[in-house]
Structure formats: structure tokens, C-alpha cells
């Protein structure tokens, strides 16, 4: 049995006590505290203690978050306490008032299903008082007095009660119970064994808290001082204004107001804009300098002053200069250049015209953005670029209203400010990639920007006044047209950049790309040279594009390797030949399509257009026994499937003239296949190719291997025009095709195609399928001969 004593009075004898683990409090001896008990296990422990001698063991949990702690989760040192009052609440919880008696150590946890019970030993503090202990005690007293003075949460009565405590251990427990520190620090104070160690630890903890309180008080005083200073300045300023008004004197303007007024007067603002600026300046004048609204007005006026309301660059209207600049920067692109020269010619004659809106449409890398820069250089105007890719918020175009925090004008006005003139060349890049969501439609906002009839009074939400955009030369760029909203597209003059042909890429590489890469890699002409055959091989075997970006990358890759050789003095100069490309660029990435070695039955060569240029397609048709099905494979699109249906209907409608029975298709299946099945294919221009291969298979007459064709077919066998002619001719030329069949209605397009793209090609213009078959089949169709073929092969029973 252990005697439990407080201030010399024996409160009870016990060898074991119920234990309540505490979550957010550490109980010290001589400390009275109210606890709200909610856990079933803890309520059982309280009731067990209350029914006995009201003695309870209280110890803090190591982790307050745990709802079901085990013996390992409870601190070994705690406080034996006495329950003075207990109250059961309606919600099932119990409120108890406990008084700490003495520190104790848990010696053993006893098995009890309902609650924790422990065997314990009482911790006795050493009572010997030394000079060192006395010094520590006095220091702790003075520190606590300073702590109470700084911490307004502790009443002064606490100091009075502590001043009468003589026992060092009782003093430590009393101060610890009123000390606002973390649970971990309080637990360490409880666990210190000797009085000296407890005093030392308490002194350090008090010193730390006093420093924190002093710093907090200093910060509070600094803030208060600043606020009072601002209030005083405002009060005095208001008094000065009131006195001057009484005396009938005008108020002296601050230096900032004077500077803003001078800037507004020196900036040539339109009448309406100047009126608005002066109105805002008067508002600013009456506001306190530190007011948030004053900052908003200052920023607003700064935008007014910095915009080029009447500042413009003088156009260079020399036609010869413009032609020279455009030809220096770009090879080919005759139509865009011609349109720019036309604009300059008109501008030269009438001096002033509404800014045109041109939209360059073409694949990546064909020179849309660089052409915009060249136009600015030719005109002598500033150039600004705004990317519209992924823009989904209307405010990106029109700006935010000033009521929003951090509001700014839209990117149109921001870029005009950046240009510092009101007539720059303004490139709206990737206009086909504008998004749309709940924040508005940026494309609809762009209509006001690009419409020449209304953009002279463009109203930005932030500025709240009209800004004239009519003198800006707007240029839009896009990869495709179908994603641009019709209303926006209607405001543009579309100029298509079809891409570069092989010959043009060769000239661009020689005249532009190679010199550029030599300069950027620190090389000279004597260090690196390319043969024409090597450049053509790079174009054909290492790139597959309409533009020249990948071509430039491959030239840059070679330049890096040669730069290394020159830098290490292994070689002074290198000439790149076709045979040496694999050494620098590795194996070819793309292999060109080759023609068949012999004329074959059921095979025809077509010409297709892709975004990366022209391509050859080897179309195959095979006849097998069946029930009249038309089988189409090779990942064909709907339009191409319809072309195959049209070709079959044409063959059936002309069966007699081809020597075929009227019901020839009932006993066979016709399988049409276009190789490279992983690549989707579509379009009507393969119509005559499908019909040729189909009739070749049906009549068992081979087609010429070196003949390629492109054209849409009708049910009556007429051949309709196609697009992408230049690219298709280059693809035929590259593959070694000798004869190309195209619709006669494309004759007008041939005149615009350069001579080099037609060199070595025998171009046949046709009106109908009869003409196509005469050119493509190795033998002329003879009805009797074809009938024999059918009886022997197709219809044999």
C-alpha cells in the first residue's frame, strides 16, 4: 500500500489506481482543472475512482490524435489527482473537477477489461536547498513576474498567490500550471526528477516565451505607430484643406499630381480621352495617398499616358524596297508577296486606307509568322505578335473591368502599348486554335478587333474609352480554316500557303537555312559545304513536311557534328555528300515509294495530297468467287468508299462496251485494297484510279507501271477536277513516273505551276474514263477478247 499525502495530510492508502489518458492537457500537483470525459473507457475509470476513494491517476497521451490508446501510447509520468466534483451530462459525457496532488510514475499496467488500472510509485522532489537552487528559484520568480506582465491573459492575482508559496516544488508546479506552452514542454517539466533540474528547465522555457512575447509586442507597437502616423497625416491634410477652403485659397497639388497633370497635357490625347483622364485625376487628388482606390486610379492613368494615341511610324512606300525585302527573306510564296505589293501600291496612291486583315493558312513551317515579320520590315513598321492558341477567356481580348483586383487591359491594348505606335503590323498567331468556355467567346470579341468598319472605336473594358485600331495592319495565321468561326473568317482575306515543293526547299536550304546554321554554329563556308544531291536526299529521306523546320533541324544536326570536328582540329572543312549522310544523320527515316518493276493486272498508281505534300498510292483490286460483294480495306474514309461504289456502278453500266455480261458482278466479289492500312485515307480524287484497277482486274489487262493519275469519277464516267496538283506532280516526278493523267478542267492550274515541277512528265488531260483507259491499259479493250477471259476464268462452271 502507498500513502498519498498532500501538505502533510494523508489522503489515502492505495496500491493501484484507475487511469485516465488525457489528450490535450498535462495536470500538475496543486492544479485544479475541469475535464470533459467522453471515451467509454475513461468514463468507467472515473466512475470506479468516484465509487472508491475518488483518487485517479491522470497521464497525458504521447499522440493526442489517438482515440484508442494502448499502454505504449501513454506517458509513464503523471499526476495522482482527487475528483472533487462529477457531473453526468445528457449527451452521455461526464464533466469532472479534479485537483492534482502528487507526481507519480507508472510501474505496471494491470489487466482490466473496462478501463486502465496501474501500479505506481510516488516521485519525491529533493528538498535540500542550496545557494544555486535559491538563485534559480529567485530567477524563476522574477521571470514569471515579467511573463505575467507581458502576457495579458494571466490575471495579476496569480502573482499574488504565487508570492506566498515558499516550497520550491510547489512553486514549480504552480507556475507550470499557469504557463502557456506546448504539451511536450509541460510533460518534460512534470518528468524532471530533481528540484534543480525542474527549475533550470522552467527558467529556459520562461526565457524563450518572454523573448517571443517581447517580439510580438514590438511588432504590435510598430504597426500601431504606422497606423497612427497615417491617421495623423490624413487628419492634418484634411484640416489644411478645410482651412484653405475657408480662406478661399486653391489647394496646392502634390508633386505626384503635378507630374501626372503634366504628362496628360504633354501626351496628345483625343478630346474624350483627355476629359476622362482629367476627371480621374481630380478623383485621385481628393483621395488619401495610401487609399487602395488611389493605387487603382494611378495605374489607370499610367495606361492612358503610355498608350500611343496619336503616335505612328512613317510608312516606307517604296515598291522596289518592299520587293527586295520580301525576296531576301522568302523564296517563292509569289501570291502572298503579290498581295502585299498591291496593298503598298494602293497605300502609296491614296496615302491612307483602312488596315487590311490578311489570314495566311498553311501547314506548320511554311513561313507564315516569318512572312509577317518581313511585311513589317518592308513597311518600316513595328512588329508585335500575339498567340491565340488555347485562349478561352474573352477578357484576354477585351480586358477586365477596373472593379476586379489586379485588372489589366486586354492583350490587344497591351501589345499596342508594347509597339509604341498605333499602326504596327500585328500578327494574331494560331487563330484557328481559339477555345470557348463559360468565360465567354474570344472569337466573338475578335470580330470587333478585325472588322474595318468598327475597329476604329474598339472599347476595352479596362480603359472604358474608344481606341482606334483601324490603322493597324492585322495578319492572322492558321493551319486549317474549318475551325475558324464563319463570322470571324468573313472579316479576313484568306491567302493559302500551299507549302514548298522539293525544288523550292533546295533553294531555301542553299540560300537561307545553311548560311543561318553556319553562323549560329560558328562555322564558315570553308568549314562546311553541301552538294545538291545531299540536300535533296535530306529532303526526301530524312524529312516529311510541307515546310522546312525539320530540314533546318537536320542541317543543324550536321552543323553540330562538323563544329565538333573543327573545334577539336580533326578536320578543317567537310563537304557533305549523299553517300556520307548516314554517317552524320544515321539511317534514312523515310523511304520513298517506288514503282513496280513490271506492268501488273489489277494495280493502278494514284496520286494523293496530304498535309505533308504529295504521295503515290498503289491501289490493288482482286477478283474472287462470291456473291457480288464489294470489299474495301486499307482504312478508307466515307468519300473514298463512295468513289469505289461509283467506279463499280460505272463498270456495271458500261459492261457491254467492256465485253462483260450484264450480271457479271453476281458471281464474284471485288476486293479493293489501298496499302499502308494504318494510315487513314479519304477524298474523291482516287475515283479514276479505283475504276482503272477494277477494270484491269475484270478484263485481265495489265496497266502501265509508269502511269499515275488523279481525278474524281461520276456514274457516267466523267472526270472531275482535283486539288493539290502541284504537290501531286512533284510526288510523281520524284517516283520516276513518266505519264500523269489529270482532269481537263485542271488545265488552268497547270499554268500557275512552275516549269521545274512539270519537267520530265507527260501530262495527259482527260474528260472521261474512256480516255483514261486508253492511256493506262496495255491493250485496248475488245469485247470479244474480254468475253473469252470471263468464260475461261470468272464464269467457268
Amino acid at each position: 500500500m502507498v500513502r498519498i499525502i498532500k501538505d502533510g495530510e494523508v489522503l489515502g492508502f492505495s496500491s493501484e489506481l484507475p487511469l485516465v489518458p488525457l489528450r490535450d492537457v498535462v495536470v500538475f500537483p496543486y492544479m485544479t482543472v475541469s475535464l470533459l470525459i467522453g471515451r467509454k473507457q475513461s468514463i468507467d475509470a472515473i466512475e470506479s475512482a468516484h465509487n472508491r476513494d475518488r483518487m485517479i491517476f491522470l497521464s497525458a497521451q504521447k499522440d493526442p490524435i489517438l482515440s484508442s490508446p494502448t499502454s505504449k501510447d501513454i506517458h509513464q509520468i503523471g499526476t495522482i489527482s482527487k475528483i472533487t466534483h462529477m457531473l453526468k451530462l445528457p449527451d452521455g459525457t461526464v464533466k469532472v473537477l479534479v485537483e492534482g496532488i502528487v507526481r507519480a510514475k507508472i510501474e505496471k499496467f494491470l489487466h482490466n477489461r473496462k478501463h486502465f488500472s496501474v501500479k505506481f510509485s510516488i516521485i519525491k522532489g529533493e528538498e535540500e536547498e542550496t545557494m544555486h537552487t535559491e538563485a534559480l528559484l529567485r530567477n524563476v520568480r522574477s521571470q514569471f513576474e515579467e511573463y505575467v506582465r507581458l502576457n495579458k491573459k494571466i490575471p495579476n492575482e496569480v502573482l499574488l498567490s504565487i508570492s506566498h508559496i515558499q516550497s520550491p516544488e510547489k512553486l514549480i508546479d504552480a507556475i507550470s500550471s499557469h504557463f502557456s506552452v506546448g504539451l511536450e514542454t509541460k510533460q518534460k517539466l512534470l518528468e524532471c526528477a530533481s528540484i534543480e533540474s525542474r527549475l533550470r528547465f522552467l527558467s529556459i522555457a520562461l526565457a524563450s516565451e518572454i523573448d517571443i512575447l517581447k517580439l510580438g509586442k514590438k511588432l504590435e507597437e510598430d504597426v500601431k505607430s504606422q497606423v497612427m502616423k497615417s491617421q495623423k497625416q490624413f487628419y492634418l491634410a484634411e484640416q489644411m484643406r478645410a482651412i484653405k477652403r475657408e480662406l478661399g485659397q486653391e489647394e496646392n497639388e502634390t508633386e505626384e499630381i503635378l507630374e501626372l497633370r503634366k504628362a496628360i497635357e504633354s501626351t496628345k490625347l483625343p478630346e474624350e480621352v483627355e476629359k476622362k483622364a482629367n476627371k480621374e485625376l481630380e478623383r485621385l487628388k481628393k483621395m488619401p495617398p495610401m487609399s487602395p482606390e488611389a493605387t487603382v486610379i494611378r495605374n489607370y492613368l499610367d495606361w492612358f499616358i503610355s498608350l500611343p494615341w496619336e503616335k505612328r511610324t512613317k510608312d516606307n512606300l517604296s515598291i522596289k524596297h518592299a520587293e527586295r525585302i520580301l525576296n531576301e527573306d522568302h523564296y517563292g510564296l509569289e501570291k502572298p508577296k503579290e498581295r502585299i505589293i498591291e496593298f503598298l501600291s494602293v497605300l502609296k496612291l491614296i496615302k491612307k486606307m483602312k488596315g487590311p486583315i490578311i489570314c495566311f493558312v498553311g501547314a506548320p513551317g511554311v513561313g507564315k509568322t516569318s512572312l509577317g515579320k518581313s511585311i513589317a520590315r518592308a513597311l518600316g513598321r513595328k512588329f508585335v505578335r500575339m498567340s491565340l492558341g488555347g485562349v478561352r477567356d474573352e477578357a484576354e481580348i477585351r480586358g477586365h473591368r477596373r472593379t476586379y483586383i489586379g485588372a489589366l487591359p486586354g492583350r490587344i491594348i497591351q501589345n499596342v502599348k508594347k509597339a509604341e505606335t498605333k499602326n504596327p503590323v500585328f500578327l494574331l498567331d494560331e487563330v484557328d486554335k481559339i477555345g470557348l468556355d463559360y468565360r465567354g467567346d474570344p472569337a466573338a470579341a475578335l470580330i470587333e478587333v478585325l472588322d474595318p468598319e468598327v475597329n476604329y472605336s474598339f472599347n476595352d473594358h479596362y480603359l472604358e474609352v474608344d481606341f482606334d485600331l483601324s490603322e493597324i495592319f492585322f495578319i492572322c495565321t492558321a493551319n486549317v480554316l474549318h475551325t475558324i468561326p464563319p463570322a470571324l473568317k468573313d472579316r479576313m482575306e484568306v491567302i493559302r500557303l500551299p507549302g514548298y515543293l522539293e525544288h523550292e526547299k533546295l533553294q531555301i536550304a542553299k540560300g537561307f537555312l545553311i548560311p543561318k546554321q553556319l553562323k549560329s554554329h560558328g562555322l564558315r563556308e570553308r568549314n562546311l559545304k553541301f552538294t545538291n544531291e545531299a540536300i535533296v536526299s535530306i529532303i526526301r529521306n530524312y524529312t516529311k513536311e510541307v515546310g522546312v523546320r525539320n530540314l533546318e533541324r537536320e542541317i543543324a544536326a550536321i552543323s553540330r557534328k562538323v563544329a565538333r570536328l573543327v573545334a577539336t582540329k580533326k578536320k578543317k572543312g567537310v563537304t557533305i555528300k549523299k553517300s556520307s549522310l548516314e554517317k552524320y544523320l544515321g539511317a534514312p527515316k523515310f523511304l520513298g515509294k517506288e514503282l513496280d518493276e513490271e506492268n501488273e493486272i489489277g494495280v493502278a498508281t494514284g496520286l494523293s495530297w496530304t498535309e505533308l505534300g504529295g504521295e503515290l498510292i498503289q491501289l490493288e483490286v482482286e477478283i474472287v468467287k462470291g456473291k457480288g460483294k464489294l470489299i474495301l480495306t486499307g482504312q478508307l474514309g466515307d468519300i473514298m468508299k463512295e468513289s469505289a461504289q461509283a467506279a463499280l456502278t460505272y463498270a456495271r453500266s458500261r459492261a457491254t462496251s467492256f465485253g462483260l455480261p450484264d450480271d457479271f458482278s453476281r458471281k464474284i466479289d471485288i476486293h479493293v485494297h489501298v496499302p499502308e492500312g494504318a494510315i487513314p485515307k479519304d477524298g474523291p480524287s482516287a475515283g479514276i484510279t479505283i475504276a482503272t484497277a477494277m477494270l484491269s482486274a475484270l478484263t485481265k489487262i495489265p496497266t502501265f507501271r509508269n502511269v499515275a493519275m488523279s481525278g474524281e469519277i461520276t456514274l457516267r464516267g466523267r472526270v472531275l477536277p482535283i486539288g493539290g496538283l502541284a504537290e501531286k506532280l512533284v510526288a510523281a516526278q520524284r517516283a520516276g513516273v513518266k505519264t500523269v493523267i489529270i482532269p481537263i478542267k485542271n488545265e488552268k492550274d497547270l499554268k500557275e505551276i512552275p516549269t521545274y515541277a512539270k519537267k520530265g512528265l507527260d501530262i495527259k488531260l482527260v474528260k472521261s474514263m474512256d480516255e483514261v483507259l486508253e492511256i493506262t491499259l496495255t491493250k485496248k479493250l475488245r469485247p470479244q477478247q474480254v468475253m473469252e477471259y470471263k468464260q475461261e476464268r470468272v464464269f467457268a462452271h
Side-chain angles (χ1 to χ4, degrees):
M1 299 291 285
V2 179
R3 288 192 303 169
I4 302 171
I5 303 172
K6 180 183 179 184
D7 296 334
E9 181 185 351
V10 178
L11 299 179
F13 297 86
S14 183
S15 60
E16 62 179 76
L17 287 174
L19 179 140
V20 173
L22 303 177
R23 279 182 170 178
D24 53 0
V25 66
V26 175
V27 176
F28 286 88
Y30 307 100
M31 175 181 175
T32 301
V33 62
S34 176
L35 301 175
L36 189 66
I37 310 297
R39 289 183 286 200
K40 180 69 171 64
Q41 193 177 34
S42 298
I43 292 172
D44 289 341
I46 291 290
E47 288 177 344
S48 175
H50 191 265
N51 293 333
R52 294 169 58 189
D53 54 3
R54 298 195 175 193
M55 295 294 173
I56 189 81
F57 197 106
L58 301 176
S59 185
Q61 291 180 194
K62 293 177 181 177
D63 186 356
I65 298 173
L66 292 175
S67 58
S68 300
T70 63
S71 58
K72 294 179 181 178
D73 301 318
I74 300 170
H75 286 291
Q76 295 295 103
I77 306 296
T79 303
I80 295 173
S81 304
K82 184 176 182 180
I83 301 171
T84 57
H85 290 90
M86 185 178 83
L87 177 65
K88 291 184 178 181
L89 300 176
D91 61 354
T93 58
V94 174
K95 190 173 184 180
V96 292
L97 190 68
V98 296
E99 181 185 2
I101 296 172
V102 66
R103 292 185 299 150
K105 181 181 179 182
I106 297 170
E107 298 293 346
K108 184 181 179 182
F109 279 87
L110 302 174
H111 182 69
N112 191 322
R113 290 183 180 179
K114 288 187 176 182
H115 56 78
F116 287 113
S117 290
V118 293
K119 280 187 175 293
F120 61 91
S121 60
I122 290 173
I123 300 173
K124 295 180 180 180
E126 299 174 6
E127 290 294 338
E128 309 89 32
E129 290 190 21
T130 63
M131 289 180 66
H132 193 67
T133 305
E134 181 63 27
L136 281 171
L137 194 62
R138 291 182 182 182
N139 187 50
V140 166
R141 282 183 187 275
S142 63
Q143 281 180 314
F144 187 66
E145 286 175 7
E146 187 176 5
Y147 176 77
V148 172
R149 191 174 67 253
L150 292 170
N151 192 343
K152 296 177 181 178
K153 295 179 182 178
I154 301 175
N156 291 327
E157 289 78 5
V158 172
L159 279 177
L160 186 64
S161 63
I162 286 176
S163 65
H164 295 103
I165 299 173
Q166 299 302 320
S167 167
E169 189 168 9
K170 189 174 179 181
L171 179 70
I172 294 166
D173 290 331
I175 290 175
S176 299
S177 64
H178 291 96
F179 192 27
S180 301
V181 289
L183 293 179
E184 189 177 343
T185 304
K186 284 195 172 186
Q187 183 64 34
K188 286 181 179 177
L189 274 169
L190 189 69
E191 291 179 356
C192 290
S194 66
I195 290 173
E196 186 176 332
S197 63
R198 294 187 78 192
L199 284 170
R200 191 183 301 278
F201 188 85
L202 182 58
S203 178
I204 293 168
L206 279 167
S208 175
E209 284 299 309
I210 287 167
D211 288 342
I212 293 169
L213 289 171
K214 281 182 177 178
L215 182 61
K217 191 172 182 180
K218 185 178 182 300
L219 291 171
E220 185 183 348
E221 287 174 354
D222 289 345
V223 172
K224 189 176 179 180
S225 173
Q226 188 66 37
V227 171
M228 288 180 67
K229 186 179 178 182
S230 299
Q231 289 176 340
K232 183 180 178 181
Q233 287 176 346
F234 175 68
Y235 178 69
L236 291 173
E238 287 298 316
Q239 279 189 324
M240 288 292 292
R241 288 195 187 99
I243 291 166
K244 286 181 178 180
R245 278 197 300 270
E246 288 295 322
L247 294 173
Q249 296 178 1
E250 291 186 5
E251 295 181 35
N252 291 329
E253 295 183 343
T254 63
E255 187 177 343
E256 180 190 29
I257 299 293
L258 288 171
E259 284 180 5
L260 285 170
R261 192 177 296 282
K262 188 177 179 181
I264 291 169
E265 289 171 357
S266 62
T267 306
K268 293 181 179 179
L269 299 176
E271 185 180 347
E272 180 193 349
V273 178
E274 188 174 358
K275 187 178 177 183
K276 177 76 173 174
N278 285 323
K279 182 181 177 182
E280 293 295 325
L281 188 63
E282 289 301 318
R283 285 184 64 208
L284 177 64
K285 184 178 171 182
K286 295 174 183 178
M287 284 185 180
M290 301 303 292
S291 166
E293 181 67 17
T295 306
V296 172
I297 294 176
R298 278 191 213 98
N299 292 336
Y300 182 67
L301 291 172
D302 284 342
W303 273 100
F304 265 42
I305 294 163
S306 59
L307 283 173
W309 298 94
E310 296 296 334
K311 187 179 178 183
R312 53 177 66 81
T313 53
K314 188 177 180 181
D315 288 332
N316 186 340
L317 300 178
S318 171
I319 307 300
K320 288 184 179 179
H321 169 75
E323 287 178 339
R324 180 176 59 79
I325 294 293
L326 292 172
N327 290 327
E328 273 181 13
D329 294 349
H330 294 85
Y331 182 86
L333 303 178
E334 299 305 326
K335 278 192 175 181
K337 289 179 183 177
E338 185 182 347
R339 176 64 186 86
I340 294 157
I341 298 301
E342 288 171 359
F343 165 72
L344 286 176
S345 302
V346 175
L347 191 61
K348 188 174 183 178
L349 293 174
I350 66 171
K351 303 303 179 186
K352 187 177 180 181
M353 65 179 290
K354 291 178 180 177
I357 292 91
I358 293 174
C359 182
F360 294 137
V361 179
V366 297
K368 300 185 294 295
T369 304
S370 61
L371 193 57
K373 291 180 182 177
S374 296
I375 292 169
R377 197 157 78 92
L379 284 168
R381 293 190 183 188
K382 294 285 186 72
F383 175 81
V384 285
R385 174 184 169 274
M386 173 181 167
S387 178
L388 295 172
V391 172
R392 295 177 175 272
D393 189 355
E394 181 195 354
E396 291 279 335
I397 309 297
R398 291 184 184 272
H400 289 91
R401 299 192 185 278
R402 281 190 291 158
T403 50
Y404 293 99
I405 296 171
L408 284 172
R411 289 170 63 189
I412 299 291
I413 294 297
Q414 288 182 37
N415 279 288
V416 170
K417 178 189 173 185
K418 181 181 174 183
E420 299 179 345
T421 67
K422 67 178 298 185
N423 65 337
V425 173
F426 200 127
L427 185 79
L428 296 168
D429 217 357
E430 312 290 358
V431 74
D432 56 325
K433 296 176 180 63
I434 295 178
L436 171 67
D437 66 7
Y438 66 93
R439 291 171 293 184
D441 185 1
L446 268 182
I447 292 173
E448 185 185 356
V449 174
L450 297 180
D451 193 337
E453 299 300 322
V454 296
N455 66 3
Y456 65 88
S457 59
F458 173 70
N459 194 287
D460 187 276
H461 288 160
Y462 181 82
L463 294 181
E464 297 176 346
V465 293
D466 293 341
F467 190 90
D468 185 5
L469 303 177
S470 63
E471 294 181 44
I472 296 175
F473 192 151
F474 282 107
I475 298 172
C476 302
T477 71
N479 296 130
V480 292
L481 272 177
H482 65 269
T483 57
I484 302 174
L488 184 58
K489 187 164 55 179
D490 185 57
R491 267 78 177 174
M492 305 174 185
E493 181 180 340
V494 176
I495 297 176
R496 293 183 180 274
L497 276 63
Y500 298 110
L501 302 176
E502 189 176 282
H503 176 78
E504 291 174 320
K505 289 182 182 181
L506 174 63
Q507 297 303 322
I508 291 168
K510 289 167 66 177
F512 299 90
L513 303 183
I514 293 173
K516 179 183 174 183
Q517 292 304 320
L518 289 177
K519 185 178 179 181
S520 62
H521 288 86
L523 298 171
R524 297 183 180 179
E525 286 187 24
R526 66 171 182 267
N527 300 131
L528 178 59
K529 294 179 181 178
F530 289 82
T531 64
N532 286 354
E533 292 78 11
I535 298 171
V536 170
S537 182
I538 294 172
I539 294 167
R540 289 181 179 179
N541 301 324
Y542 292 90
T543 66
K544 196 172 186 180
E545 58 179 345
V546 180
V548 291
R549 280 184 187 160
N550 289 325
L551 176 59
E552 186 173 6
R553 287 191 190 103
E554 299 301 331
I555 292 169
I558 294 172
S559 301
R560 287 194 298 271
K561 290 178 171 60
V562 172
R564 180 182 176 183
L565 294 174
V566 173
T568 55
K569 297 182 180 180
K570 291 182 179 179
K571 288 186 179 181
K572 291 184 178 180
V574 176
T575 299
I576 304 299
K577 299 178 181 178
K578 184 179 179 180
S579 58
S580 60
L581 283 177
E582 286 197 32
K583 177 182 175 183
Y584 293 95
L585 297 177
K589 299 175 184 176
F590 307 100
L591 296 174
K593 293 180 181 177
E594 297 179 355
L595 297 172
D596 293 331
E597 295 181 2
E598 296 179 359
N599 301 331
E600 293 191 30
I601 295 170
V603 177
T605 303
L607 295 169
S608 66
W609 178 92
T610 70
E611 290 185 356
L612 302 176
E615 287 286 342
L616 251 67
I617 53 171
Q618 298 283 83
L619 200 139
E620 302 170 350
V621 176
E622 191 63 50
I623 307 297
V624 294
K625 289 182 180 180
K627 296 181 180 180
K629 290 182 182 178
L630 177 62
I631 304 166
L632 303 170
T633 55
Q635 207 176 155
L636 308 185
D638 291 338
I639 298 172
M640 206 163 178
K641 288 177 181 178
E642 289 173 3
S643 295
Q645 292 282 2
L648 177 58
T649 302
Y650 165 72
R652 290 173 63 184
S653 68
R654 299 286 301 278
T656 306
S657 60
F658 298 145
L660 302 171
D662 292 337
D663 60 348
F664 74 91
S665 61
R666 291 185 181 179
K667 299 178 182 179
I668 60 170
D669 287 344
I670 301 173
H671 188 163
V672 179
H673 177 68
V674 183
E676 299 183 6
I679 301 171
K681 308 164 192 75
D682 206 0
S685 64
I688 64 171
T689 313
I690 296 170
T692 300
M694 196 178 287
L695 287 166
S696 169
L698 288 168
T699 59
K700 204 182 174 183
I701 300 175
T703 59
F704 286 109
R705 55 179 286 276
N706 56 1
V707 176
M709 64 202 81
S710 182
E712 182 180 351
I713 188 176
T714 69
L715 296 179
R716 293 176 292 171
R718 292 183 181 178
V719 181
L720 302 182
I722 44 90
L725 185 58
E727 289 85 352
K728 290 177 180 180
L729 291 179
V730 171
Q733 199 180 54
R734 189 190 309 143
V737 171
K738 299 298 181 186
T739 304
V740 176
I741 301 171
I742 62 171
I744 196 168
K745 290 185 179 179
N746 282 108
E747 186 175 7
K748 64 182 187 312
D749 301 320
L750 279 175
K751 296 174 183 177
E752 297 182 6
I753 294 173
T755 306
Y756 59 79
K758 300 180 281 188
K759 188 177 180 181
L761 295 176
D762 181 14
I763 299 172
K764 303 287 187 181
L765 300 169
V766 297
K767 290 182 181 178
S768 64
M769 267 306 298
D770 292 337
E771 296 174 60
V772 175
L773 295 173
E774 276 186 33
I775 300 166
T776 54
L777 298 180
T778 56
K779 296 179 184 179
K780 290 186 177 181
L781 284 172
R782 292 176 183 157
Q784 187 178 1
Q785 177 185 353
V786 178
M787 280 293 294
E788 290 169 1
Y789 163 75
K790 293 185 191 354
Q791 290 168 358
E792 178 184 331
R793 168 108 180 237
V794 181
F795 299 108
H797 295 286

